[in-house]
Amino acid sequence: MKTITTHYIDGAFVESHGREVMDIIRPTDGELIGRVTLGDEEDTRHAIAAAKRAFATYSRSTIEERAAILRRLHEAASARIDDLTAAMVEEYGGVVQFAGLIVQSGINAFLAAEKALQEIPWTRSWDKTTVTLEPVGVAGLITAWNANALFICLKLASAVAAGCTVVLKPSELSSWQTRVMVEALHEAELPKGLLNVVTGLGNIVGAELVRNPDVAKISFTGSVAVGEQIMRDGAATIKRVTLELGGKSPTVLLDDAALDQAIPAALIMAFLNSGQACAAGTRLLVPKSRLDEVKRAILDGMRAITVGDPADPNVAVGPMVSQKQYERVESYIRKGIEEGAEVLAGGEGRPEGLEAGYFVKPTVFVNVTNNMTIAQEEIFGPVLSVIAYDSDDEAIRIANDSKYGLHAAVLGTDLQRARRVASQLRAGRVVINNMTDDPQAPWGGFKYSGVGREYGQYGIEAFLEPRAILG
């Protein structure tokens, strides 16, 4: 039984002032595996005060000093990569083949930030004017439960590179993963107060970060509803905000696509992280002329989308994070059936033999129109909607007919044509033919998918303010 009763404040693990205790439930079988004592406003204010004291010194650090800290953070986190992966598998139910990649990607964010740090033009001058980029202040980092290690490392790396100190509020559903991560980062011997971590509820710890005047910046990953509230409540103290709020990402399969490559790629993008991914390609747009062969290819490809024990390296889809999330996904599957979509694979109920955990059948709907609920709302589970189109122009129109605009994909053999289609998609990032990544490329969304960007120079600049000195 894991028991967590402390937060990380001013370089030390300190007992929680908050007294509320939450159970940690393993999603593979619903069993109790630990308990965490949640922080309150007092814990949060203590952490903010520590970050504010540290900012007075750290904000004047040199680029070389920040680069050295980023290297130490990378080394410290790398030493615990196996423990971090195991914690993600057990507490979250992330499949090990994906969890390992996510943890490694998070750890690599420290080195990516160090590289970007060297390339930012920190000072610009002309005539008698000098413009410098200055750290914005204490940053509140609020992270989601579906990729805990990635979000913590990514946001922390950008803030540290910019010269900011931070107070991190991870999801309470990631309490054990966070503890392992913080223990690892503690070994980097950071300046006291640079990193502070308070685990607690969004409406308590998160709300204090958003309304506290000593916090200058909020970087949040999570739902649209919470993002809207952060913008509203943060306005009272003119908070700078970066919001990454999710998506309903389209995958446009062009009529020249090679299905033996395109369909496996589309399924991987759809069921990424058990479907609990903001970038998941949950709308597959298919030319009507090839719809029948696409259906056959999907049925064939679904054999590889196995569901089960996330610790098994051959399993592609694990459980949903919680009973609440399981019920949410099941409600959308029912809604799809009620609205007239046809179940090609999967459907309602738990997979056979997996009745104890929060497992959902990986589900593919066909005969979906883009105005259906399952095509418009973010389900955050392993549910794919196949939508037919007549022409490239119609595919682009359907792809853009969403309140979201985080991620998109184009699959086709003519790369010039694929790029032409990609250039017309209203999304912050568009990949061609594979779920590729670039740690220096901006990450963030159009429309309801958020405000601002993360990764590389773009992520660091989100924690900076320009200051001009004239004369």
Side-chain angles (χ1 to χ4, degrees):
M1 176 75 72
K2 302 171 178 67
T3 303
I4 303 168
T5 62
T6 58
H7 307 294
Y8 187 73
I9 300 174
D10 213 14
F13 291 95
V14 298
E15 287 295 319
S16 178
H17 179 272
R19 306 288 1 128
E20 182 178 353
V21 176
M22 189 190 81
D23 291 341
I24 301 174
I25 304 296
R26 185 168 52 214
T28 51
D29 55 13
E31 292 295 315
L32 176 70
I33 59 171
R35 290 191 173 91
V36 56
T37 302
L38 301 176
D40 61 8
E41 292 91 346
E42 184 68 24
D43 293 306
T44 312
R45 287 191 285 267
H46 184 193
I48 293 169
K52 184 180 180 181
R53 288 193 299 271
F55 181 74
T57 303
Y58 186 67
S59 61
R60 300 195 300 271
S61 60
T62 65
I63 303 306
E64 292 72 25
E65 288 168 337
R66 296 175 199 174
I69 288 174
L70 289 166
R71 289 193 295 272
R72 295 205 306 271
L73 285 165
H74 176 263
E75 183 180 356
S78 295
R80 298 289 299 274
I81 188 169
D82 290 343
D83 295 336
L84 290 164
T85 302
M88 183 174 179
V89 171
E90 182 176 32
E91 182 181 43
Y92 166 62
V95 294
V96 69
Q97 59 174 267
F98 180 77
L101 293 173
I102 276 291
V103 170
Q104 186 66 66
S105 180
I107 293 171
N108 288 345
F110 294 119
L111 294 186
E114 184 201 359
K115 181 178 185 293
L117 183 67
Q118 312 298 337
E119 298 171 355
I120 291 175
W122 291 92
T123 302
R124 304 173 193 178
S125 299
W126 61 89
D127 298 329
K128 295 182 179 181
T129 298
T130 300
V131 177
T132 57
L133 297 177
E134 304 294 331
V136 67
V138 173
L141 313 180
I142 304 175
T143 59
W145 44 258
N146 61 314
N148 185 69
L150 173 63
F151 297 138
I152 289 176
C153 294
L154 176 62
K155 293 179 189 295
L156 176 62
S158 294
V160 165
C164 293
T165 56
V166 309
V167 179
L168 167 70
K169 191 217 86 70
S171 169
E172 65 278 8
L173 296 178
S174 304
S175 299
W176 179 245
Q177 297 167 78
T178 300
R179 171 47 58 101
V180 177
M181 176 62 78
V182 175
E183 287 176 353
L185 299 182
H186 176 70
E187 297 303 314
E189 298 181 348
L190 303 174
K192 286 185 178 181
L194 172 57
L195 169 64
N196 305 275
V197 184
V198 180
T199 298
L201 300 177
N203 61 355
I204 296 175
V205 176
E208 178 62 30
L209 286 173
V210 172
R211 66 175 171 251
N212 194 298
D214 288 333
V215 177
K217 164 86 181 183
I218 295 290
S219 179
F220 168 77
T221 299
S223 71
V224 170
V226 175
E228 290 172 344
Q229 186 172 342
I230 287 172
M231 290 192 83
R232 283 194 301 268
D233 295 349
T237 50
I238 316 297
K239 286 285 189 293
R240 279 69 175 149
V241 295
T242 297
L243 306 174
E244 198 268 270
L245 306 178
K248 192 67 184 177
S249 302
T251 298
V252 180
L253 188 145
L254 299 175
D255 59 16
D256 67 345
L259 296 190
D260 61 334
Q261 299 172 32
I263 293 303
L267 294 178
I268 288 170
M269 286 188 274
F271 299 118
L272 187 73
N273 201 9
S274 305
Q276 296 177 131
C278 48
T282 52
R283 291 185 295 152
L284 177 58
L285 279 53
V286 175
K288 288 179 183 175
S289 61
R290 302 194 69 181
L291 185 56
D292 288 341
E293 59 179 318
V294 166
K295 288 181 185 179
R296 291 192 295 270
I298 288 174
L299 286 172
D300 185 53
M302 287 298 289
R303 296 194 187 102
I305 309 299
T306 52
V307 58
D309 181 1
D312 183 342
N314 296 312
V315 166
V317 174
M320 301 296 93
V321 70
S322 64
Q323 176 70 23
K324 178 182 178 182
Q325 187 64 16
Y326 168 82
E327 291 171 356
R328 171 186 169 87
V329 176
E330 286 292 310
S331 72
Y332 275 108
I333 293 174
R334 286 193 298 274
K335 187 72 170 177
I337 295 169
E338 291 167 3
E339 292 188 351
E342 175 190 341
V343 175
L344 181 68
E348 286 188 84
R350 287 177 167 84
E352 186 177 349
L354 295 170
E355 289 79 13
Y358 309 136
F359 293 93
V360 170
K361 294 175 185 175
T363 297
V364 179
F365 282 105
V366 293
N367 294 341
V368 177
T369 57
N370 201 52
N371 61 353
M372 289 182 178
T373 303
I374 56 172
Q376 286 294 319
E377 296 185 13
E378 185 176 39
I379 298 172
F380 230 60
V383 180
L384 172 63
S385 294
V386 178
I387 303 169
Y389 69 85
D390 282 313
S391 65
D392 287 5
D393 286 343
E394 186 184 17
I396 292 164
R397 181 187 61 76
I398 294 171
N400 290 334
D401 181 19
S402 169
K403 73 177 186 178
Y404 295 106
L406 179 67
H407 197 272
V410 181
L411 307 176
T413 54
D414 183 341
L415 293 182
Q416 187 174 1
R417 178 188 177 196
R419 283 186 170 274
R420 187 168 63 249
V421 172
S423 70
Q424 297 176 73
L425 300 181
R426 299 282 292 170
R429 188 182 282 195
V430 186
V431 297
I432 295 176
N433 288 332
N434 284 296
M435 191 65 179
T436 53
D437 187 30
D438 181 344
Q440 299 300 329
W443 175 262
F446 289 24
K447 300 181 280 188
Y448 278 73
S449 284
V451 175
R453 295 293 183 268
E454 299 184 280
Y455 282 85
Q457 287 192 44
Y458 302 90
I460 297 171
E461 288 170 356
F463 290 89
L464 297 170
E465 293 275 25
R467 179 179 63 201
I469 298 179
L470 287 68

